[in-house]
Amino acid sequence: APGPGKRLGAKKSDSELVVPGNIIFRQRGTHWFPGENCGMGRDHTIFALEKGYVRYYRDPDKHKDRKYIGIVFDRGWSLPRGRGAARRRRLGLEAREMSTEAVGVDTIGGAFAEAMAEQGANEASNEVETASTDMAARAGAKTSEPKQKLALKEGYMYRESNWQIGRAAERAKVRVREWKAGNRFLAWRKTNARKARNAEKRGLRRKYLPRTRAISLDVASSVDLDKAIAAHQLVISLVPFIYHAAIIKSAIKSKTNVVTTSYVSPAMLELDAAAKEAGIVVLNEVGVDPGVDHLYAIKTIGEVHAKGGKVKEFYSYCGGLPAPECADNPLGFKFSWSPRGAILSQRNSASFILNGKQVDIAAEDLMSRAEPYFVMDGYSFVAYPNRNSVPFREFYNIPEAETVVRGSLRYKRNPEFIKAFADIGWLDTEDKDWLQPGLTWAQIHQKITGASDTSESSIVSCINAKCKFPSEAESNRIISGLRCFGLFSSEQATIRGGNLLDTLCRQLESLLSFEPGERDLVMLQHKFVVEWTDGRKDTLTSTLELLGDPKGYSGMSRAVGMTCGIATQLLLNGHRALSVPQPRGLFIYLNSL
């Protein structure tokens, strides 16, 4: 067996002080890779190159799967530091005041000529000197521009010296735009991912949807919308929920049936009488949540009531998430559907019944109420209430229930990040006159935080004042995540919709979309606390764990798209379940079977 200190594993923990040469991690193979200020030996041992503090971290900009070990020089610093950030290194230099004496081009030219003369270069016989430099040039006197000296180089070609070529723009007083390196590897990955997605879409359309035709349509234009809907027998609306009411209004004009997968909003309910008068069916909530969750709740409740039992408590939680191995970003989330809808779903007010009493939570307090929730081994979820659960005691026909809660699932630390976005002001949906193309992310951050300038330190100070983080560690985590998303950078922001929320969604969509080979997760669980006629109490659960296929359909498209497709086919077939003239008629019908 190997002796002490030679066994595999971590030798230095996170935030531990190390000096150059200290071994941080022993391994066989590259489970961990060297990050900033670290090196790796021939036996894959990772060691420190500089004195500082250890950091274990991931850097999706470098590689989506690799784990890194790095060194920072200050205990409060974190890794990674974001795209395009300058690397911090100890150079061992001493700061000294620079001389303010101006050095002209002529002076440098004279000094260079003198140095060449002193060296007694053997190439002098091969040089063609067209002019000599005056001694007054080295004294700083104003003279005419020194004429060029051409030297015979290898290949028998006359050319200027490199130092002269390098200062050509300065001599001509031409300003050259500063070059920004950016992250070319990330750009290459994004380009390839976009090409792969487009190729996949084209292949699926040819294989599975040969009779489809794509059109470009502005949903906000009532004229274009009326024309497109009137030309069809049925319309399926999968756009963000705020546009459903406009689509239903247009469908009422042309007497076209409508199917959506979204909750019935107050704006949609206002059109109920007009839809009945037009004689059309508006079928809603036929996705996964809402949709599949209704079906399984109705099914289990019906079985319990048939056996004489009572449902005393009902809990339903659902989440559309990346698979655990793909949740490798500060938000712990990737978008398999509208980023705007996903983020706004975490900004709704909520109401539910707990121990016979109604509990109401304001939208701004919702993320603070997220609590750990166990579904099954292998997952670390938090749960929070979603919208209004109170009517579902009546919808599900469980008047005996003392607790009714319907909510959403997220990975740990996601709600705190969404709350930070809201506290900073990024989730504001109002149009901003000052939000114009050409602004950088740092300038936008300065505007919404009230920072004195665009420096990161100034913005971070204002963010800490606004968010009031519970600890320094939580502050560092959120700030590091904002940096990772490029929200402190000097890059120009892509403005969308004239408001902060849509602009943020555009940035997150480009960074947090699923890459080829990644998969998503749909997790849905119902929990019923049942009281039987003999006084016994049981807890029943029904759980849906659906992982997407990296080479096929995502879990979300299967859970939502197929459910919506089945419901649409039932509607086209004239199924009697859809003839019940009241909200949630499909589920009332199924409960009566």
Side-chain angles (χ1 to χ4, degrees):
K6 295 184 179 181
R7 298 183 178 92
L8 301 181
K11 307 303 176 185
K12 301 293 182 181
S13 61
D14 192 81
S15 300
E16 187 171 349
L17 180 66
V18 294
V19 297
N22 278 170
I23 293 176
I24 303 175
F25 202 96
R26 286 191 180 275
Q27 58 185 342
R28 294 293 179 265
T30 51
H31 300 288
W32 291 87
F33 287 81
E36 288 199 9
N37 302 311
C38 281
M40 185 165 64
R42 289 183 297 175
D43 61 348
H44 305 115
T45 295
I46 295 179
F47 57 90
L49 294 176
E50 298 285 354
K51 179 180 178 181
Y53 301 91
V54 177
R55 289 287 183 270
Y56 292 82
Y57 64 99
R58 289 182 182 269
D59 190 349
D61 287 344
K62 287 186 176 180
H63 198 282
K64 62 179 181 179
D65 297 324
R66 290 183 178 178
K67 299 178 291 186
Y68 294 92
I69 301 175
I71 303 295
V72 295
F73 303 138
D74 188 279
R75 190 183 291 273
W77 293 355
S78 61
L79 292 174
R81 290 177 296 98
R83 296 180 298 164
R87 181 179 178 184
R88 296 189 178 107
R89 290 176 289 180
R90 282 199 173 96
L91 301 177
L93 302 180
E94 184 178 352
R96 293 185 179 276
E97 185 177 358
M98 294 181 62
S99 173
T100 58
E101 180 181 356
V103 180
V105 177
D106 294 345
T107 304
I108 295 177
F112 183 81
E114 182 183 17
M116 289 294 293
E118 291 176 355
Q119 291 178 5
N122 294 328
E123 298 176 357
S125 59
N126 296 329
E127 294 177 354
V128 180
E129 185 173 342
T130 58
S132 60
T133 308
D134 196 286
M135 289 293 293
R138 285 186 284 108
K142 293 184 179 180
T143 64
S144 60
E145 180 75 13
K147 296 185 178 180
Q148 296 177 348
K149 178 184 292 185
L150 302 181
L152 185 63
K153 302 298 181 181
E154 293 182 6
Y156 300 96
M157 293 183 298
Y158 288 97
R159 55 159 291 184
E160 293 180 278
S161 300
N162 288 339
W163 71 271
Q164 291 176 314
I165 297 173
R167 301 188 69 106
E170 182 180 344
R171 289 199 304 269
K173 298 182 179 179
V174 175
R175 292 189 62 186
V176 181
R177 185 174 60 182
E178 182 182 357
W179 181 71
K180 296 182 180 180
N183 190 327
R184 302 308 306 159
F185 176 67
L186 179 62
W188 173 79
R189 281 177 52 199
K190 287 182 178 179
T191 300
N192 283 354
R194 185 178 66 253
K195 290 179 179 178
R197 287 196 299 268
N198 292 338
E200 181 183 9
K201 290 176 183 178
R202 289 193 297 269
L204 290 175
R205 185 168 63 247
R206 288 192 297 266
K207 182 177 180 181
Y208 299 108
L209 303 171
R211 294 183 293 175
T212 59
R213 181 172 60 90
I215 63 172
S216 177
L217 177 67
D218 183 3
V219 182
S221 172
S222 59
V223 176
D224 295 340
L225 193 61
D226 291 347
K227 182 179 178 181
I229 291 178
H232 296 83
Q233 179 184 356
L234 182 143
V235 57
I236 301 174
S237 177
L238 298 178
V239 296
F241 71 93
I242 58 173
Y243 298 109
H244 288 329
I247 290 173
I248 295 173
K249 288 179 182 178
S250 181
I252 290 173
K253 297 176 186 177
S254 57
K255 298 186 177 181
T256 303
N257 293 330
V258 181
V259 177
T260 80
T261 60
S262 301
Y263 284 100
V264 179
S265 66
M268 295 163 69
L269 273 178
E270 291 176 0
L271 302 172
D272 182 56
K276 290 177 181 177
E277 184 178 350
I280 67 171
V281 175
V282 180
L283 181 59
N284 304 291
E285 302 187 9
V286 286
V288 59
D289 178 10
V292 174
D293 57 343
H294 293 328
L295 296 173
Y296 275 89
I298 291 292
K299 176 180 179 294
T300 304
I301 291 171
E303 293 171 351
V304 170
H305 286 171
K307 296 178 182 178
K310 296 181 179 180
V311 178
K312 304 299 289 183
E313 299 177 29
F314 172 74
Y315 305 89
S316 175
Y317 289 99
C318 182
L321 306 160
E325 71 273 12
C326 301
D328 53 358
N329 60 76
L331 197 59
F333 196 83
K334 288 190 175 181
F335 297 104
S336 58
W337 53 298
S338 164
R340 194 181 206 273
I343 292 177
L344 287 181
S345 70
Q346 297 183 250
R347 295 293 295 165
N348 293 313
S349 59
S351 300
F352 56 93
I353 300 173
L354 181 65
N355 299 326
K357 297 181 179 179
Q358 180 173 329
V359 179
D360 299 314
I361 302 176
E364 58 270 17
D365 299 327
L366 184 63
M367 292 297 97
S368 302
R369 296 294 295 267
E371 297 179 351
Y373 189 82
F374 177 79
V375 176
M376 61 172 59
D377 292 332
Y379 297 99
S380 180
F381 293 128
V382 293
Y384 56 88
N386 184 24
R387 301 178 187 256
N388 188 3
S389 303
V390 176
F392 286 89
R393 181 160 64 175
E394 178 185 351
F395 294 155
Y396 290 165
N397 192 27
I398 46 175
E400 71 274 16
E402 298 174 355
T403 297
V404 177
V405 182
R406 301 177 77 253
S408 298
L409 298 173
R410 291 291 185 269
Y411 289 124
K412 284 185 176 180
R413 298 187 174 183
N414 169 274
E416 293 86 349
F417 216 112
I418 295 296
K419 184 177 185 301
F421 275 143
D423 292 343
I424 295 170
W426 277 111
L427 304 189
D428 190 350
T429 59
E430 294 184 3
D431 291 345
K432 307 293 182 185
D433 294 335
W434 56 265
L435 191 60
Q436 299 295 329
L439 291 176
T440 66
W441 291 107
Q443 288 172 333
I444 297 175
H445 240 145
Q446 178 194 9
K447 184 71 175 180
I448 62 179
T449 60
S452 58
D453 54 58
T454 59
S455 66
E456 182 175 322
S457 59
S458 177
I459 296 173
V460 168
S461 177
C462 292
I463 289 176
N464 285 327
K466 276 175 165 280
C467 296
K468 297 180 174 58
F469 297 112
S471 65
E472 184 179 354
E474 181 68 5
S475 171
N476 290 338
R477 184 180 74 86
I478 300 297
I479 297 302
S480 177
L482 295 173
R483 187 183 300 115
C484 182
F485 294 148
L487 301 184
F488 296 133
S489 71
S490 58
E491 294 183 7
Q492 287 192 5
T494 302
I495 308 301
R496 176 188 283 180
N499 62 74
L500 293 168
L501 174 61
D502 288 334
T503 300
L504 174 66
C505 288
R506 168 63 180 80
Q507 177 75 348
L508 295 182
E509 183 179 8
S510 66
L511 298 174
L512 304 183
S513 295
F514 282 89
E515 301 287 348
E518 294 185 334
R519 57 181 185 167
D520 66 335
L521 165 72
V522 175
M523 182 68 75
L524 169 64
Q525 185 183 74
H526 292 328
K527 185 182 293 184
F528 309 85
V529 176
V530 178
E531 183 179 72
W532 303 105
T533 54
D534 59 0
R536 288 183 302 109
K537 281 191 175 183
D538 287 333
T539 300
L540 310 178
T541 60
S542 61
T543 305
L544 169 66
E545 179 192 27
L546 181 59
L547 288 162
D549 181 0
K551 297 181 180 180
Y553 292 109
S554 66
M556 185 62 70
S557 66
R558 292 163 64 191
V560 177
M562 291 186 179
T563 306
C564 177
I566 293 170
T568 301
Q569 191 63 57
L570 290 174
L571 178 57
L572 291 172
N573 294 343
H575 198 285
R576 57 178 177 152
L578 304 177
S579 64
V580 182
Q582 56 182 314
R584 297 176 178 83
L586 174 61
F587 311 114
I588 295 173
Y589 169 80
L590 290 173
N591 191 37
S592 66
L593 294 179

